[in-house]
Amino acid sequence: MIGPPAGGEDRRRRAQVAVSASVFVLLFTALLIIMLPNAWAVLAGVVFGGAGAAATYGTMSGMAQSSQRRTRLLSDDQSSLRESLAELESTIRSRAEKLPPSTQGQLRMMVVGLEEIVDRWSTLERLPEQQDAVRRTITRHLPRTLELFLELPDSAKPTHAGEFKEQIGLLAEAVAKTRDTVVAKNLQALRTNRWLLEESLTDPDEKLFRDHGL
């Protein structure tokens, strides 16, 4: 795992020290003014100011570490999803002759749209249900939809091509709509957009080709 740039880490630490020092000076000065001419004013100012500075530094360090953990998790999630999308793209390309021609363009555009959503993954951090919908679309729904159709005997594919095209069309529309709202960073539209979520949470084994016992 590649960590943050050394220069960025140094700047962060210098900022923490600078803010902590400012807190120390502020608290020390305030207590000194309040307690003078008490002989203990300087010592009390040092203790109180030091405690405030230490608390400030600790809080800022904790926030920075938490941010770094979120960034690492976000990066790991994106990497995993990109790998899954690469596998999907490879399947679509290598098995193209087994897929209805009218769906091939939709499938490729769907993968491109999902890649753009994953590239902007942080936009969906405040909408975990949408992240889950996209994740399940990439890792389960779309792969399973392809798998169910590709596993059919070639002689049976024409019979089920219409249903397959319908499912791909619905999913492609959902992905395109979600991609547009993510690119526009329109979170309110994402909250009210149930297309992708509803499609992704539907079990393909229950929905696809259910009338044919597959």
Side-chain angles (χ1 to χ4, degrees):
M1 177 68 64
I2 299 176
E9 181 70 14
D10 289 342
R11 285 194 296 271
R12 180 181 64 79
R13 287 180 178 173
R14 285 198 296 270
Q16 290 174 352
V17 170
V19 173
S20 299
S22 298
V23 170
F24 174 83
V25 171
L26 179 63
L27 293 176
F28 175 82
T29 303
L31 203 62
L32 197 64
I33 293 173
I34 293 171
M35 292 188 66
L36 282 176
N38 191 305
W40 295 98
V42 173
L43 180 59
V46 170
V47 172
F48 192 62
T56 300
Y57 188 87
T59 299
M60 293 183 67
S61 295
M63 292 174 62
Q65 290 172 4
S66 178
S67 176
Q68 289 174 356
R69 283 194 296 271
R70 287 197 303 271
T71 299
R72 284 195 295 269
L73 289 173
L74 179 67
S75 178
D76 290 345
D77 205 12
Q78 285 178 299
S79 296
S80 176
L81 291 173
R82 285 176 180 134
E83 289 177 5
S84 296
L85 284 170
E87 292 175 5
L88 278 170
E89 185 178 21
S90 177
T91 298
I92 293 168
R93 185 175 58 253
S94 63
R95 306 292 297 279
E97 75 281 358
K98 301 291 185 180
L99 297 169
S102 60
T103 65
Q104 294 177 25
Q106 285 182 312
L107 286 165
R108 286 192 292 269
M109 290 305 298
M110 202 186 314
V111 170
V112 171
L114 288 167
E115 287 174 343
E116 290 193 56
I117 294 172
V118 172
D119 286 342
R120 295 166 172 81
W121 202 233
S122 60
T123 302
L124 295 176
E125 279 190 297
R126 287 188 289 169
L127 299 173
E129 74 282 358
Q130 291 289 351
Q131 281 190 329
D132 185 58
V134 174
R135 187 181 295 106
R136 292 176 68 175
T137 297
I138 294 171
T139 61
R140 174 167 174 75
H141 194 96
L142 184 53
R144 185 58 178 156
T145 302
L146 285 168
E147 180 185 2
L148 285 172
F149 186 79
L150 290 171
E151 286 183 347
L152 291 170
D154 288 348
S155 59
K157 284 184 172 65
T159 302
H160 303 292
E163 187 175 358
F164 177 73
K165 286 189 286 186
E166 180 183 351
Q167 294 302 319
I168 293 301
L170 287 172
L171 192 54
E173 185 176 355
V175 170
K177 189 170 184 178
T178 300
R179 177 264 174 201
D180 289 345
T181 50
V182 169
V183 170
K185 296 184 179 180
N186 189 341
L187 298 185
Q188 185 56 45
L190 280 170
R191 289 189 179 97
T192 58
N193 173 22
R194 306 300 296 177
W195 284 72
L196 184 56
L197 182 60
E198 290 171 356
E199 287 297 316
S200 297
L201 296 182
T202 301
D203 188 341
D205 290 331
E206 294 179 0
K207 185 173 183 180
L208 293 173
F209 317 124
R210 57 190 169 192
D211 294 335
H212 305 283
L214 299 175

